[in-house]
Amino acid sequence: MGKSRLEAFSDGVLAIIITIMVLELKVPQGGELAALGPLIPVFLSYILSFVYIGIYWNNHHHMLHATQVVSGRILWANLHLLFWLSLVPFATGWMGENHFAPVPTALYGVPLLMAALAYRLLQQPILAKHGRDSALGLAVGRDLKGKLSLLAYVMAIPAAFVSPWIAHAVYVGVALAWLVPDRRIENVLARRAQ
Amino acid sequence: MGKSRLEAFSDGVLAIIITIMVLELKVPQGGELAALGPLIPVFLSYILSFVYIGIYWNNHHHMLHATQVVSGRILWANLHLLFWLSLVPFATGWMGENHFAPVPTALYGVPLLMAALAYRLLQQPILAKHGRDSALGLAVGRDLKGKLSLLAYVMAIPAAFVSPWIAHAVYVGVALAWLVPDRRIENVLARRAQ
Amino acid sequence: MGKSRLEAFSDGVLAIIITIMVLELKVPQGGELAALGPLIPVFLSYILSFVYIGIYWNNHHHMLHATQVVSGRILWANLHLLFWLSLVPFATGWMGENHFAPVPTALYGVPLLMAALAYRLLQQPILAKHGRDSALGLAVGRDLKGKLSLLAYVMAIPAAFVSPWIAHAVYVGVALAWLVPDRRIENVLARRAQ
Amino acid sequence: MGKSRLEAFSDGVLAIIITIMVLELKVPQGGELAALGPLIPVFLSYILSFVYIGIYWNNHHHMLHATQVVSGRILWANLHLLFWLSLVPFATGWMGENHFAPVPTALYGVPLLMAALAYRLLQQPILAKHGRDSALGLAVGRDLKGKLSLLAYVMAIPAAFVSPWIAHAVYVGVALAWLVPDRRIENVLARRAQ
């Protein structure tokens, strides 16, 4: 079973998700600078979500690069991940249009949390197929960053009801932690090539 | 005639269909949790349709994997399948926004039925080109699951007028029956490899 | 210069055009069958345009299959073709929502005419690069079907003001003439393989 | 690290950006020719932006064609470029719907300027990896056209407040200067092949 169509389909869906989000930036009526004012929170939400989808694309790219075999279970685990990511544009729009109100801010964490769980569910059968001492297995290791991200989302969602700004700080912080591309796989592959 | 562009184009269309459906989840005005209430049926419809498009992508992926030659007839049979699948977002939105009323529930079955027929029309010339004892031919066999699905849709559409819940049960049931990825082709290929 | 990205980008744009058109089928408010009535002309227009985009994808697929070299001029000629095809969803929506009124029916012919001209402009440098006795050159020959289609569009546009039905008959007729996949290239390639 | 997924994802995003812009051409209510009048500025803006996205796709295609290695930094520099290009449809719609008013015309230059800067940021690590006397390094040279374009945007944005027509002249002029496909890379590669 080739992985090329899995990559192509995922690339397509992620490309559309990232581009559909920009449709929430609705062209305002007036032509003055002031007309852009109410769009600022929507724009900030867009930036955050763009970075998140970019992170997922990047890590997905690395993980599948190290994958050799694709099974039916991996195909569905991948679709499950894409499902939660497909809800990011909706959560982004709702949070932005309500100027970072508590409930939409909390809800924004839900697809992030679920996508993080889905990513782990996708990683599992791939790791199982390739073994703990494959390039991917060594690179992921105990996956501390993945586990801490899950914990961060779980805490950010209720914290949004105390103050949305705590949740925003967590969302931005987790994104920054992942923005550093996942060099673990690159490193292991490079070490092996020596 | 290569099959790679056929796969690429189908992947593109299916990726867009699956992502466009999420646009029916329109960002609500208010920022309270109650604002999400009316979206629940739309969300449930989205999940069901996401699974259906995922099933078609999965089976399409398997069928074309076993295909070696692509003819003009296969190109058009494929476009015909994509046509009916492209109507799924409309049917999903109509059923969801009308809270599973009888007529939209019945109509939801129409693109499903037509896509199932179109899938068989696509399978036919591929099987004819590869022969009944090709990997694909052996895997599909008498295609009992395909035939029973057709029968299920044909019965669900009128049943929606009696009670929409009968139709929903059928739609969910057929989806679950296919969610199990079509291992028949994988099995035959694996057996051959031995 | 590889042609794979040209194919991938064209596939992407054509896949999006074909799927964006379905968004003109706007989900109606009511849940009765009668609510679908006003959508019938939009649906019929959608079918026609789906077939046209399908024809372009099919012929584009065949033409590039026979192409070996891609130049800067070919890249732009291809973008020019995609530009006119990208206006088909707009023309489709306008014609459908105005129930096949004369002006929208005439205007529907404009992107079709311009896309047909753009296709010839794309074919020219490809033919020039490959020579008149290449597989593609022999297959296209004097390109009678291409020239007659141009003539048909040129006559259909003013005829829509006399009666839109003349124009519709021409649009459907040309589509049917091309629905037969362009076997010329396949035939020449098959003859050469002997 | 292969570059094929980077190309595929970029092609997907650019294909969607170029096609989403056409959605700003909203189907008018009436069916008379006069109903198309207010759409003319939107249509002109669409043509300009279509050409710009086409230029970026073309140059991106050439640059990556000459690239052999892809790093994490290149992946993010590429996403950064796509981010600014994803704002072009919004800027296009705002400028078109406000009939080329000063503020939207000035703002139209912002994503163009930022995308031009992002393109340079993407070019840098690629050049660094391949060396100044690689095919790409020789082809780009001192990149005078790139630097002059940046200068042109920087001047056009404030000039729009004096008269939008100055800015439009600059935007069209820069587009025309780039419409000539970037033969520098093709030339160097051709010279090497001798």
Side-chain angles (χ1 to χ4, degrees), chain D residues 42-116:
Chain D
V42 185
F43 184 58
L44 294 176
S45 310
Y46 174 59
I47 295 176
L48 183 60
S49 297
F50 190 98
V51 169
Y52 265 110
I53 302 291
I55 289 165
Y56 272 101
W57 179 73
N58 247 333
N59 290 345
H60 194 266
H61 176 103
H62 278 78
M63 181 160 65
L64 281 174
H65 187 73
T67 306
Q68 270 130 37
V69 247
V70 165
S71 67
R73 191 181 155 197
I74 290 173
L75 293 183
W76 277 107
N78 190 58
L79 276 167
H80 179 236
L81 170 62
L82 294 178
F83 174 78
W84 290 108
L85 291 177
S86 80
L87 296 175
V88 169
F90 173 83
T92 306
W94 204 40
M95 183 169 77
E97 281 171 30
N98 289 289
H99 296 72
F100 306 116
V103 181
T105 297
L107 188 111
Y108 183 78
V110 175
L112 291 186
L113 172 62
M114 297 307 293

Side-chain angles (χ1 to χ4, degrees), chain A residues 52 109 112-113 116 144-160 166-167 169-175 177-178:
Chain A
Y52 265 110
L112 291 186
L113 172 62
L144 203 64
K145 194 152 66 163
K147 285 174 192 158
L148 285 177
S149 302
L150 281 179
L151 192 67
Y153 298 137
V154 167
M155 296 191 317
I157 293 170
I166 306 174
V170 174
Y171 298 152
V172 171
V174 174
W178 284 99

Side-chain angles (χ1 to χ4, degrees), chain C residues 43-162:
Chain C
F43 183 59
L44 293 176
S45 310
Y46 174 59
I47 296 176
L48 183 61
S49 296
F50 191 98
V51 169
Y52 265 110
I53 302 292
I55 289 166
Y56 271 101
W57 178 73
N58 247 334
N59 289 345
H60 193 266
H61 176 103
H62 279 78
M63 181 160 66
L64 281 174
H65 187 73
T67 306
Q68 269 129 39
V69 247
V70 165
S71 66
R73 190 180 156 198
I74 290 173
L75 293 183
W76 277 107
N78 191 57
L79 276 167
H80 179 237
L81 170 62
L82 294 178
F83 175 78
W84 290 109
L85 291 177
S86 80
L87 297 175
V88 169
F90 173 83
T92 306
W94 203 39
M95 182 168 79
E97 282 171 30
N98 288 289
H99 296 72
F100 306 117
V103 181
T105 297
L107 188 110
Y108 184 78
V110 174
L112 291 186
L113 172 61
M114 297 308 292
L117 284 169
Y119 192 83
R120 290 179 68 84
L121 278 175
L122 173 60
Q123 210 174 38
Q124 252 168 42
I126 293 178
L127 282 180
K129 282 233 171 197
H130 292 83
R132 278 277 154 195
D133 21 80
S134 66
L136 188 67
L138 287 172
V140 170
R142 289 171 45 231
D143 196 13
L144 201 65
K145 193 152 66 162
K147 286 174 192 160
L148 286 178
S149 303
L150 282 178
L151 191 69
Y153 298 137
V154 167
M155 295 192 316
I157 294 170
F161 294 98
V162 182

Side-chain angles (χ1 to χ4, degrees), chain A residues 1-2 5-6 8-9 12-13 16-17 20 24 72 75-76 79 82-83 86-87 90 93-94 97-98 103-104 107, chain B residues 7 11 15-16 19 22 25 27-33 36 39 43 46-47 50 54-55 57-58 60-61 65 179:
Chain A
M1 270 296 126
R5 271 195 82 181
L6 183 65
F9 184 73
V13 172
I16 299 160
I17 289 173
I20 261 181
E24 286 301 325
L75 293 184
W76 277 107
L79 276 167
L82 295 177
F83 174 78
S86 79
L87 296 175
F90 173 82
W94 203 39
E97 281 170 31
N98 288 290
V103 181
L107 188 110
Chain B
E7 291 181 330
D11 280 350
I16 300 160
T19 330
V22 94
L25 269 178
V27 172
Q29 291 266 310
E32 306 85 48
L33 206 58
L36 295 183
L39 289 176
F43 184 59
Y46 174 59
I47 295 176
F50 190 98
I55 288 165
W57 179 74
N58 248 333
H60 194 266
H61 175 104
H65 187 73
L179 246 179

Side-chain angles (χ1 to χ4, degrees), chain A residues 45-112:
Chain A
S45 310
Y46 174 59
I47 296 176
L48 183 61
S49 296
F50 190 99
V51 170
Y52 265 110
I53 302 291
I55 288 165
Y56 272 101
W57 179 74
N58 246 333
N59 290 346
H60 193 267
H61 176 103
H62 278 77
M63 181 160 65
L64 280 174
H65 187 73
T67 306
Q68 270 129 38
V69 247
V70 166
S71 66
R73 191 182 154 196
I74 291 174
L75 293 184
W76 277 107
N78 191 58
L79 276 167
H80 179 236
L81 170 62
L82 295 177
F83 174 78
W84 290 109
L85 292 177
S86 79
L87 296 175
V88 170
F90 173 82
T92 307
W94 203 39
M95 183 169 78
E97 281 170 31
N98 288 290
H99 296 72
F100 306 116
V103 181
T105 298
L107 188 110
Y108 183 78
V110 175
L112 291 186

